[in-house]
Amino acid sequence: MKLLRSLSITNILLIEKAEIVFSKGLNVFTGETGAGKSIIFDCLAFIFGIKTRNKYLKDNEKNGQVIAEFQLNNRDDLISFLEDLSIP
């Protein structure tokens, strides 16, 4: 089973820094319009190689970062593949 455990976003669009830890089961994003929910989903899409916007960086920033942590159970083939790519 693959499970998204956490998402870290730095200097992406309106988000200066966000750390999201997902729990087992249903996780829900709620908030007012303009709160940044769609940015979180854009960052998830970015992780999977889907380009959703032309500009991701927060204004006046030279770099940004999106980090996703997955839990991989019983997937030695996938773990080996990622290690071959030097991805811990």
Side-chain angles (χ1 to χ4, degrees), residues 68 72 78-88:
L72 305 174
L78 184 55
I79 292 170
S80 177
F81 174 74
L82 293 172
E83 286 174 347
D84 288 346
L85 296 172
S86 298
I87 299 174

Side-chain angles (χ1 to χ4, degrees), residues 3-16:
L3 177 67
L4 179 61
R5 296 186 64 177
S6 67
L7 184 67
S8 173
I9 304 168
T10 305
N11 293 331
I12 302 296
L13 298 170
L14 300 174
I15 299 174
E16 184 175 327

Side-chain angles (χ1 to χ4, degrees), residues 2 7 10 15-16 21-22 24 32-33 40-41 47 49 66 69-72 77 81-82 84-88:
K2 295 179 279 185
L7 184 67
T10 305
I15 299 174
E16 184 175 327
V21 177
F22 297 96
K24 190 173 183 177
E32 295 182 23
T33 302
I40 294 168
F41 291 108
I47 288 167
V66 178
E69 179 185 356
F70 291 90
Q71 178 179 335
L72 305 174
D77 58 332
F81 174 74
L82 293 172
D84 288 346
L85 296 172
S86 298
I87 299 174

Side-chain angles (χ1 to χ4, degrees), residues 14 28-41:
L14 300 174
V28 179
F29 288 98
T30 63
E32 295 182 23
T33 302
K37 299 177 299 293
S38 62
I39 296 171
I40 294 168
F41 291 108

